[in-house]
Amino acid sequence: MIKKTFLVFLSSVLFLVFAVGCSSEGSGDKSAFKQSVDLEEVNAALKGKETENTSVDGRTGAASSVASNQYDPYQRYSSLWNSELFNDERFKLNVILTPSEKKEARVLSRSFESHMDRAKLFMHYLLSELKERNLPVELAAIPLVESGFDLRARSHAGAHGPWQFTRQTGKSFGLEVSSHYDEFYDFVASTQASLDYLEHLYSEFHNWDFALIAYNQGEFGVKKVIRRAKNAGVKNLTVNNMGFTKMGRTYLKRVRAYADIMRHPKAYGVEYPEIENRPMFKRVQIAGRLSSMKEAAKLSGADLQTLKLLNAGYLTDSLKSKKQHGLLVPVENVAQLERALGISTETTLPLPGVKQNTELANIDSKQANLAVN
């Protein structure tokens, strides 16, 4: 009797265990299904956000990455030449070449591709600055004429750097020189000074032809020519009816010629270099953390020659300088350098004119955390 009762009890226990197991399994399926649905919703949200951020004015781009000055190696970036930085509306001078200028343009087109190849690291920055200041994109032709984007170019007249500033003019617009660093060779510093100078010249003359000649000949020389023309009774002042020097006229001709090549490359049988529509470099604060360019190349994984080109202001391999200039680093190498130096993105110095979109970054971070959790 006891044996029979025990068997009945054991059977009941086994039945209950089986029932609970089935219930748990069913509940687990429902939980797994709910988690699957939640994950699909998160992925859909992330995909939607990604789609939203990869459309810039109808072109495939990387709005969030570019806006936050971050580089995404998995992102497909659009071409700089198809971006809003280089569209027809940015060409404001309405250059129509004379026969003489067209002849000059055909000659200059032979060097256009080699000069533009040197400009690859800097063109996005330059076009961004021109747009930020609402200046004509044709002004990007000036460093083509002045130096061919050779950052260490020097002239017999003593001008040097990509924008060919003289010492006196450069210093008056904030460029400094020390035993370790020369801001005339620094593309970012010299670009800021040059655009300040061009804005000043245009505010003085209200005429871009006069401003461009003044950039080459000097402000007071152009004012002298204008004063003489007015005293001679010239009313409608143009380059053609004023006594500008042959050098000044030739300079203007070359700027206009390069500007036309930039706008109509196919007409001259030339091509732009491939440049992505994104920041190419970022300034990293290295004070007290790095002592040499070679060390920076080793820690960042960046090519040493590229670092030297980006940081042409440093006169030797040493990164010592009285004024803290930081180090311009290709964006694809910034994260590795920051990790090696133990610094965060917050201590990275932004470039002038590049604004960080922290709102998009925060949204993306929250969605990523939700997906992980």
Side-chain angles (χ1 to χ4, degrees):
M1 181 68 180
I2 295 174
K3 184 177 181 180
K4 183 176 180 180
T5 303
F6 175 77
L7 290 173
V8 172
F9 173 76
L10 182 60
S11 299
S12 300
V13 171
L14 290 173
F15 175 79
L16 288 173
V17 171
F18 176 79
V20 172
C22 291
S23 176
S24 298
E25 184 178 355
S27 176
D29 286 343
K30 291 179 181 179
S31 176
F33 174 76
K34 185 177 185 304
Q35 291 176 359
S36 176
V37 171
D38 290 344
L39 186 57
E40 288 178 2
E41 290 175 348
V42 170
N43 289 335
L46 287 171
K47 185 176 182 181
K49 191 67 183 177
E50 179 182 359
T51 303
E52 176 186 345
N53 290 337
T54 55
S55 175
V56 184
D57 294 339
R59 293 177 294 273
T60 302
S64 62
S65 294
V66 172
S68 63
N69 201 21
Q70 299 296 319
Y71 174 70
D72 182 356
Y74 302 105
Q75 177 65 54
R76 184 164 65 92
Y77 293 89
S78 63
S79 169
L80 174 64
W81 313 115
N82 294 328
S83 73
E84 62 179 5
L85 297 176
F86 201 72
N87 62 26
D88 284 342
E89 294 179 359
R90 299 288 305 119
F91 287 84
K92 299 182 178 184
L93 300 188
N94 298 317
V95 173
I96 300 177
L97 300 186
T98 64
S100 175
E101 290 170 338
K102 288 182 180 179
K103 182 178 179 180
E104 184 73 18
R106 286 192 290 272
V107 173
L108 295 179
S109 66
R110 301 169 190 169
S111 60
F112 178 79
E113 291 184 352
S114 62
H115 290 349
M116 289 296 288
D117 191 62
R118 284 202 291 258
K120 286 192 296 186
L121 285 173
F122 307 103
M123 189 56 72
H124 181 276
Y125 170 74
L126 175 54
L127 294 181
S128 297
E129 284 300 299
L130 291 173
K131 185 175 186 298
E132 182 75 16
R133 296 171 181 246
N134 196 30
L135 291 173
V137 76
E138 289 95 336
L139 300 185
I142 294 177
L144 287 170
V145 175
E146 293 286 359
S147 66
F149 277 89
D150 180 356
L151 273 60
R152 288 293 181 91
R154 297 183 67 91
S155 75
H156 296 296
H160 64 296
W163 293 89
Q164 289 292 280
F165 262 123
T166 61
R167 288 293 186 187
Q168 181 178 358
T169 305
K171 288 182 178 180
S172 67
F173 280 86
L175 295 180
E176 300 178 1
V177 180
S178 69
S179 58
H180 292 92
Y181 201 92
D182 190 331
E183 290 187 337
F184 287 74
Y185 296 138
D186 180 324
F187 189 81
V188 171
S190 61
T191 296
Q192 294 294 315
S194 296
L195 298 186
D196 287 345
Y197 186 31
L198 287 164
E199 287 179 328
H200 165 74
L201 292 173
Y202 185 73
S203 70
E204 289 291 313
F205 301 115
H206 304 286
N207 180 302
W208 276 115
D209 285 347
F210 297 169
L212 289 168
I213 293 177
Y215 186 89
N216 176 256
Q217 299 279 283
E219 175 183 348
F220 298 106
V222 172
K223 286 183 176 179
K224 186 176 181 180
V225 171
I226 292 175
R227 184 168 59 252
R228 284 179 178 176
K230 288 182 176 179
N231 291 338
V234 179
K235 294 182 180 181
N236 184 25
L237 300 178
T238 67
V239 173
N240 296 325
N241 62 15
M242 298 168 63
F244 286 113
T245 65
K246 181 179 179 181
M247 182 183 296
R249 293 173 183 271
T250 299
Y251 181 81
L252 179 62
K253 179 194 296 187
R254 289 176 178 172
V255 172
R256 287 168 57 84
Y258 264 129
D260 197 61
I261 298 170
M262 288 175 61
R263 190 170 191 179
H264 307 291
K266 291 183 179 179
Y268 298 93
V270 298
E271 295 182 354
Y272 301 128
E274 293 184 5
I275 304 177
E276 294 179 338
N277 182 29
R278 62 172 177 85
M280 302 300 291
F281 51 85
K282 190 175 181 181
R283 192 187 304 279
V284 178
Q285 179 59 272
I286 59 167
R289 296 184 176 95
L290 282 174
S291 59
S292 72
M293 200 78 70
K294 290 180 180 178
E295 184 183 4
K298 182 178 180 180
L299 292 177
S300 67
D303 177 70
L304 178 59
Q305 295 306 313
T306 299
L307 282 182
K308 288 182 177 181
L309 180 61
L310 285 173
N311 299 276
Y314 286 102
L315 300 178
T316 66
D317 184 64
S318 173
L319 298 180
K320 295 180 180 179
S321 177
K322 292 181 180 178
K323 184 178 178 180
Q324 298 303 324
H325 296 280
L327 189 72
L328 298 183
V329 180
V331 290
E332 56 267 33
N333 302 105
V334 168
Q336 180 173 329
L337 180 60
E338 289 178 341
R339 285 195 299 269
L341 298 178
I343 59 179
S344 63
T345 305
E346 285 71 19
T347 60
T348 301
L349 301 177
L351 291 171
V354 179
K355 301 176 181 178
Q356 296 215 358
N357 192 332
T358 54
E359 181 180 356
L360 282 177
N362 290 336
I363 291 174
D364 292 341
S365 176
K366 290 178 181 179
Q367 289 175 329
N369 290 332
L370 178 60
V372 171
N373 293 333

